[in-house]
Amino acid sequence: MDLSADHIKSLHKYELRVLQSLEYLMTRYSWVPEEELVRNSRLSTSEVRYRLSELMEKGMVKYSQVPYPGYCLIFNGYDTLALSYLVKKGIISALGTCIGEGKESRVYEALGTGPVILKLHRIGQRSFQTVRKGRNYLPEKQHCPWVLASHYSAEQEYLALCSLQNYVRVPTPLFMNRNVIAMTYIPGDRLSDCSLEEPQVILDEILSQIRAAYCLGYIHGDLSEYNIMFDGEKVWIIDWPQWVSPSHENAAEILDHDLETITKFFHRRYRISSDMNEVRSLVTGC
Protein backbone atom coordinates (compact mmCIF):
# COMPACT_ATOMS: atom_id res chain seq x y z
CA MET A 1 0.00 0.00 0.00
CA ASP A 2 1.35 3.44 -0.97
CA LEU A 3 1.91 6.15 1.62
CA SER A 4 -1.30 8.19 1.87
CA ALA A 5 -1.41 11.88 2.81
CA ASP A 6 -5.06 11.42 3.79
CA HIS A 7 -4.17 8.61 6.20
CA ILE A 8 -1.50 10.77 7.80
CA LYS A 9 -3.87 13.74 8.17
CA SER A 10 -6.61 11.58 9.70
CA LEU A 11 -4.30 9.90 12.22
CA HIS A 12 -5.83 9.93 15.73
CA LYS A 13 -3.56 10.95 18.61
CA TYR A 14 -3.95 7.46 20.13
CA GLU A 15 -2.88 5.88 16.82
CA LEU A 16 0.18 8.09 16.86
CA ARG A 17 0.90 6.97 20.42
CA VAL A 18 0.63 3.31 19.43
CA LEU A 19 3.02 3.88 16.50
CA GLN A 20 5.50 5.57 18.85
CA SER A 21 5.23 2.67 21.31
CA LEU A 22 5.83 0.16 18.53
CA GLU A 23 8.88 2.10 17.39
CA TYR A 24 10.34 2.09 20.90
CA LEU A 25 9.54 -1.56 21.62
CA MET A 26 10.94 -2.79 18.31
CA THR A 27 14.42 -2.11 19.67
CA ARG A 28 13.70 -5.11 21.93
CA TYR A 29 11.20 -7.22 20.00
CA SER A 30 10.94 -8.33 16.38
CA TRP A 31 7.20 -8.70 17.00
CA VAL A 32 5.80 -6.64 19.88
CA PRO A 33 3.35 -8.49 22.16
CA GLU A 34 0.01 -6.80 22.75
CA GLU A 35 0.51 -6.64 26.52
CA GLU A 36 3.77 -4.71 26.04
CA LEU A 37 1.98 -2.20 23.82
CA VAL A 38 -0.73 -1.73 26.42
CA ARG A 39 1.85 -1.16 29.13
CA ASN A 40 4.00 1.24 27.11
CA SER A 41 1.21 3.27 25.50
CA ARG A 42 -0.77 3.55 28.76
CA LEU A 43 -3.97 2.89 26.88
CA SER A 44 -6.58 0.27 27.70
CA THR A 45 -6.42 -3.13 26.02
CA SER A 46 -9.62 -2.43 24.08
CA GLU A 47 -8.29 0.95 22.91
CA VAL A 48 -4.98 -0.55 21.78
CA ARG A 49 -6.77 -3.32 19.87
CA TYR A 50 -9.04 -0.83 18.13
CA ARG A 51 -6.17 1.49 17.19
CA LEU A 52 -4.10 -1.43 15.92
CA SER A 53 -6.96 -2.52 13.68
CA GLU A 54 -7.16 1.01 12.26
CA LEU A 55 -3.40 1.17 11.69
CA MET A 56 -3.36 -2.22 9.97
CA GLU A 57 -6.16 -1.08 7.67
CA LYS A 58 -4.06 1.99 6.79
CA GLY A 59 -1.07 -0.22 6.01
CA MET A 60 1.12 1.07 8.85
CA VAL A 61 1.29 -1.98 11.12
CA LYS A 62 1.54 -5.73 10.50
CA TYR A 63 0.43 -8.65 12.69
CA SER A 64 1.91 -12.13 12.86
CA GLN A 65 1.31 -15.27 14.92
CA VAL A 66 4.78 -16.65 14.10
CA PRO A 67 7.00 -17.12 16.06
CA TYR A 68 4.53 -15.69 18.61
CA PRO A 69 1.55 -13.29 18.41
CA GLY A 70 2.78 -9.75 17.97
CA TYR A 71 2.78 -6.53 15.97
CA CYS A 72 5.42 -4.86 13.84
CA LEU A 73 5.79 -1.30 12.58
CA ILE A 74 6.23 -1.29 8.78
CA PHE A 75 7.53 1.42 6.47
CA ASN A 76 4.29 3.37 6.01
CA GLY A 77 3.99 3.59 9.78
CA TYR A 78 7.61 4.61 10.27
CA ASP A 79 7.35 7.16 7.44
CA THR A 80 4.20 8.54 9.07
CA LEU A 81 5.97 9.16 12.38
CA ALA A 82 8.70 11.11 10.58
CA LEU A 83 6.34 13.11 8.37
CA SER A 84 4.07 13.96 11.29
CA TYR A 85 7.09 15.39 13.08
CA LEU A 86 8.11 17.43 10.01
CA VAL A 87 4.59 18.88 9.82
CA LYS A 88 4.69 19.69 13.55
CA LYS A 89 8.00 21.53 13.06
CA GLY A 90 6.62 23.50 10.11
CA ILE A 91 9.08 21.99 7.63
CA ILE A 92 6.31 20.72 5.35
CA SER A 93 2.64 21.55 5.01
CA ALA A 94 1.58 19.18 2.22
CA LEU A 95 2.74 15.88 0.78
CA GLY A 96 2.90 15.57 -2.99
CA THR A 97 3.40 12.61 -5.28
CA CYS A 98 6.15 10.03 -5.37
CA ILE A 99 8.61 11.14 -8.08
CA GLY A 100 11.22 8.42 -7.70
CA GLU A 101 11.79 5.01 -6.18
CA GLY A 102 15.00 3.04 -5.82
CA LYS A 103 16.12 -0.12 -4.07
CA GLU A 104 16.48 1.65 -0.73
CA SER A 105 14.45 4.86 -0.89
CA ARG A 106 11.42 6.72 -2.14
CA VAL A 107 11.41 10.38 -3.11
CA TYR A 108 8.35 12.61 -2.74
CA GLU A 109 7.53 16.18 -3.61
CA ALA A 110 6.23 18.31 -0.77
CA LEU A 111 5.46 21.90 0.12
CA GLY A 112 7.01 23.95 2.88
CA THR A 113 7.80 27.63 2.48
CA GLY A 114 8.55 26.52 -1.08
CA PRO A 115 9.08 23.27 -3.01
CA VAL A 116 10.68 20.58 -0.85
CA ILE A 117 12.00 17.13 -1.65
CA LEU A 118 11.49 14.34 0.87
CA LYS A 119 13.76 11.33 0.71
CA LEU A 120 12.39 8.36 2.63
CA HIS A 121 15.11 5.82 3.32
CA ARG A 122 13.85 2.25 3.18
CA ILE A 123 16.44 -0.44 3.81
CA GLY A 124 14.72 -3.59 2.56
CA GLN A 125 14.04 -6.41 5.00
CA ARG A 126 15.42 -9.07 2.67
CA SER A 127 18.63 -7.20 1.92
CA PHE A 128 19.19 -5.89 5.45
CA GLN A 129 21.89 -8.39 6.43
CA THR A 130 23.81 -7.72 3.21
CA VAL A 131 23.48 -3.97 3.74
CA ARG A 132 24.64 -4.26 7.36
CA LYS A 133 27.82 -6.09 6.32
CA GLY A 134 28.63 -3.43 3.74
CA ARG A 135 28.06 -0.35 5.87
CA ASN A 136 30.04 0.19 9.03
CA TYR A 137 27.54 2.65 10.49
CA LEU A 138 25.03 -0.17 11.17
CA PRO A 139 25.37 -2.11 14.46
CA GLU A 140 26.94 -5.55 14.10
CA LYS A 141 25.51 -7.32 17.11
CA GLN A 142 22.85 -5.03 18.53
CA HIS A 143 19.26 -5.88 17.61
CA CYS A 144 18.40 -3.44 14.84
CA PRO A 145 15.17 -3.98 12.90
CA TRP A 146 15.35 -3.09 9.25
CA VAL A 147 12.94 -0.19 9.58
CA LEU A 148 15.23 1.34 12.20
CA ALA A 149 18.29 0.63 10.05
CA SER A 150 16.72 3.09 7.61
CA HIS A 151 17.23 5.77 10.26
CA TYR A 152 20.96 5.08 10.28
CA SER A 153 21.02 5.31 6.48
CA ALA A 154 19.25 8.69 6.52
CA GLU A 155 21.54 9.93 9.27
CA GLN A 156 24.58 8.97 7.20
CA GLU A 157 23.34 10.87 4.16
CA TYR A 158 22.26 13.89 6.21
CA LEU A 159 25.74 14.12 7.71
CA ALA A 160 27.31 14.15 4.25
CA LEU A 161 24.91 16.77 2.90
CA CYS A 162 25.55 19.06 5.89
CA SER A 163 29.33 18.68 5.62
CA LEU A 164 29.49 19.19 1.85
CA GLN A 165 27.38 22.36 1.80
CA ASN A 166 29.13 25.37 0.22
CA TYR A 167 31.91 23.13 -1.14
CA VAL A 168 30.16 20.57 -3.36
CA ARG A 169 26.92 21.01 -5.27
CA VAL A 170 24.53 18.84 -3.29
CA PRO A 171 20.93 19.43 -2.15
CA THR A 172 20.66 21.62 0.94
CA PRO A 173 19.38 19.54 3.88
CA LEU A 174 16.53 21.28 5.69
CA PHE A 175 15.70 18.78 8.43
CA MET A 176 15.91 15.11 9.24
CA ASN A 177 13.70 12.90 11.37
CA ARG A 178 13.94 9.13 11.65
CA ASN A 179 14.34 7.82 8.08
CA VAL A 180 13.28 10.99 6.26
CA ILE A 181 15.40 13.88 4.98
CA ALA A 182 13.77 17.11 3.83
CA MET A 183 15.97 18.94 1.32
CA THR A 184 15.84 21.65 -1.31
CA TYR A 185 14.47 20.90 -4.73
CA ILE A 186 17.11 20.52 -7.46
CA PRO A 187 15.75 21.46 -10.91
CA GLY A 188 16.90 19.63 -13.99
CA ASP A 189 17.28 16.03 -15.10
CA ARG A 190 19.44 13.07 -14.29
CA LEU A 191 22.60 12.92 -16.37
CA SER A 192 21.33 9.68 -17.89
CA ASP A 193 18.38 11.57 -19.42
CA CYS A 194 20.36 14.55 -20.74
CA SER A 195 21.89 15.28 -24.12
CA LEU A 196 24.94 17.41 -23.34
CA GLU A 197 26.21 20.01 -25.78
CA GLU A 198 29.64 20.19 -24.12
CA PRO A 199 30.16 16.76 -22.51
CA GLN A 200 33.90 17.23 -21.87
CA VAL A 201 33.19 20.41 -19.87
CA ILE A 202 30.57 18.58 -17.81
CA LEU A 203 32.85 15.59 -17.18
CA ASP A 204 35.58 17.95 -15.99
CA GLU A 205 33.08 19.64 -13.68
CA ILE A 206 31.95 16.30 -12.24
CA LEU A 207 35.55 15.28 -11.54
CA SER A 208 36.10 18.65 -9.88
CA GLN A 209 33.12 18.02 -7.61
CA ILE A 210 34.36 14.51 -6.78
CA ARG A 211 37.76 15.98 -5.90
CA ALA A 212 36.19 18.65 -3.66
CA ALA A 213 34.24 15.95 -1.80
CA TYR A 214 37.34 13.77 -1.51
CA CYS A 215 39.34 16.64 0.00
CA LEU A 216 36.59 17.04 2.62
CA GLY A 217 36.75 13.33 3.48
CA TYR A 218 33.90 11.94 1.39
CA ILE A 219 33.84 9.32 -1.38
CA HIS A 220 30.33 8.93 -2.79
CA GLY A 221 30.42 5.13 -2.99
CA ASP A 222 27.61 4.64 -5.51
CA LEU A 223 28.18 7.30 -8.15
CA SER A 224 26.63 6.93 -11.59
CA GLU A 225 24.80 8.88 -14.26
CA TYR A 226 21.60 8.23 -12.31
CA ASN A 227 22.55 10.29 -9.25
CA ILE A 228 24.08 13.28 -10.97
CA MET A 229 21.64 16.06 -11.87
CA PHE A 230 22.19 18.66 -14.60
CA ASP A 231 20.17 21.88 -14.51
CA GLY A 232 21.33 23.17 -17.88
CA GLU A 233 24.33 24.95 -16.41
CA LYS A 234 25.66 23.09 -13.39
CA VAL A 235 25.88 19.54 -12.11
CA TRP A 236 24.60 18.41 -8.72
CA ILE A 237 25.51 15.15 -6.97
CA ILE A 238 22.73 13.44 -5.02
CA ASP A 239 22.24 10.19 -3.03
CA TRP A 240 25.01 10.03 -0.41
CA PRO A 241 24.07 7.27 2.11
CA GLN A 242 26.85 4.93 0.98
CA TRP A 243 29.74 7.41 1.31
CA VAL A 244 33.00 6.29 2.86
CA SER A 245 36.03 8.17 4.13
CA PRO A 246 39.32 8.18 2.18
CA SER A 247 40.74 6.38 5.24
CA HIS A 248 38.32 3.44 4.78
CA GLU A 249 40.11 0.15 4.16
CA ASN A 250 38.42 -0.21 0.75
CA ALA A 251 38.52 3.48 -0.16
CA ALA A 252 40.76 3.08 -3.21
CA GLU A 253 38.58 0.34 -4.68
CA ILE A 254 35.36 2.27 -4.01
CA LEU A 255 36.73 5.48 -5.50
CA ASP A 256 37.93 3.62 -8.59
CA HIS A 257 34.48 2.13 -9.05
CA ASP A 258 32.89 5.60 -8.90
CA LEU A 259 35.38 7.02 -11.38
CA GLU A 260 35.15 4.08 -13.76
CA THR A 261 31.35 4.22 -13.78
CA ILE A 262 31.33 7.90 -14.72
CA THR A 263 34.13 7.78 -17.29
CA LYS A 264 32.63 4.69 -18.94
CA PHE A 265 29.29 6.50 -19.23
CA PHE A 266 30.93 9.44 -21.01
CA HIS A 267 32.85 7.08 -23.29
CA ARG A 268 29.73 5.07 -24.10
CA ARG A 269 27.48 8.10 -24.66
CA TYR A 270 29.90 10.73 -26.00
CA ARG A 271 33.00 8.78 -27.09
CA ILE A 272 35.20 10.63 -24.60
CA SER A 273 38.21 8.55 -23.53
CA SER A 274 39.82 8.98 -20.11
CA ASP A 275 43.03 7.67 -18.65
CA MET A 276 42.13 6.19 -15.26
CA ASN A 277 45.53 6.92 -13.74
CA GLU A 278 45.21 10.59 -14.69
CA VAL A 279 41.62 10.78 -13.48
CA ARG A 280 42.50 9.15 -10.14
CA SER A 281 45.49 11.47 -9.71
CA LEU A 282 43.31 14.50 -10.46
CA VAL A 283 40.81 13.51 -7.75
CA THR A 284 43.24 12.41 -5.04
CA GLY A 285 46.08 14.80 -5.77
CA CYS A 286 48.50 11.88 -5.74
Side-chain angles (χ1 to χ4, degrees):
M1 183 183 294
D2 290 336
L3 188 64
S4 167
D6 290 336
H7 285 167
I8 296 173
K9 288 179 182 178
S10 66
L11 203 67
H12 190 278
K13 63 178 182 179
Y14 287 167
E15 292 168 5
L16 186 61
R17 190 188 299 184
V18 169
L19 288 176
Q20 291 168 336
S21 291
L22 273 171
E23 177 188 23
Y24 171 74
L25 292 167
M26 280 180 63
T27 60
R28 296 161 47 196
Y29 297 94
S30 295
W31 295 91
V32 180
E34 181 185 277
E35 57 270 21
E36 289 293 330
L37 273 174
V38 171
R39 185 179 300 111
N40 186 267
S41 66
R42 298 180 182 178
L43 298 172
S44 68
T45 299
S46 60
E47 187 70 51
V48 167
R49 287 177 178 172
Y50 174 70
R51 297 303 167 187
L52 283 169
S53 67
E54 290 290 299
L55 290 169
M56 285 190 287
E57 187 174 337
K58 293 174 180 177
M60 298 181 183
V61 172
K62 187 177 180 180
Y63 173 76
S64 178
Q65 290 186 319
V66 179
Y68 55 84
Y71 298 87
C72 175
L73 187 69
I74 56 178
F75 274 126
N76 280 357
Y78 196 48
D79 296 340
T80 295
L81 284 172
L83 296 178
S84 297
Y85 190 83
L86 293 179
V87 170
K88 180 180 177 181
K89 286 292 183 179
I91 305 299
I92 61 171
S93 57
L95 179 67
T97 58
C98 180
I99 59 172
E101 184 169 1
K103 294 180 293 184
E104 299 175 4
S105 66
R106 282 188 180 180
V107 178
Y108 284 80
E109 293 179 316
L111 282 178
T113 54
V116 175
I117 291 297
L118 299 176
K119 183 172 181 180
L120 285 57
H121 287 246
R122 292 184 163 199
I123 301 295
Q125 185 176 21
R126 293 180 181 178
S127 64
F128 173 60
Q129 294 301 330
T130 301
V131 170
R132 172 152 59 181
K133 289 177 183 177
R135 302 186 195 177
N136 55 13
Y137 59 84
L138 296 178
E140 284 292 337
K141 297 181 180 179
Q142 178 182 339
H143 175 59
C144 182
W146 46 272
V147 286
L148 301 184
S150 298
H151 164 76
Y152 290 101
S153 178
E155 191 172 57
Q156 181 82 345
E157 180 165 24
Y158 187 75
L159 173 62
L161 295 178
C162 290
S163 299
L164 296 172
Q165 284 300 298
N166 303 319
Y167 303 100
V168 180
R169 290 194 200 98
V170 297
T172 300
L174 303 174
F175 206 84
M176 175 200 154
N177 186 260
R178 294 174 171 87
N179 64 322
V180 177
I181 302 175
M183 62 187 81
T184 53
Y185 173 77
I186 301 297
D189 298 303
R190 296 179 188 274
L191 200 62
S192 58
D193 299 325
C194 295
S195 180
L196 303 175
E197 294 181 1
E198 297 182 288
Q200 182 66 63
V201 172
I202 300 303
L203 174 57
D204 291 344
E205 178 61 23
I206 292 170
L207 295 177
S208 175
Q209 294 291 300
I210 297 172
R211 172 175 169 74
Y214 184 88
C215 291
L216 290 168
Y218 292 84
I219 298 171
H220 188 282
D222 189 34
L223 196 61
S224 74
E225 63 271 24
Y226 299 105
N227 45 36
I228 297 176
M229 305 289 292
F230 180 60
D231 65 6
E233 295 182 1
K234 302 174 182 177
V235 293
W236 302 77
I237 301 179
I238 61 174
D239 296 338
W240 287 85
Q242 297 187 47
W243 71 267
V244 298
S245 165
S247 62
H248 188 279
E249 59 182 356
N250 298 322
E253 178 184 346
I254 293 169
L255 177 62
D256 278 355
H257 184 269
D258 280 357
L259 296 177
E260 287 173 2
T261 301
I262 292 303
T263 54
K264 284 180 179 178
F265 166 76
F266 275 87
H267 182 263
R268 183 173 65 251
R269 179 74 64 88
Y270 300 104
R271 299 305 176 191
I272 294 176
S273 298
S274 302
D275 182 288
M276 274 303 298
N277 290 326
E278 292 181 3
V279 169
R280 187 185 307 109
S281 179
L282 173 67
V283 169
T284 63
C286 300

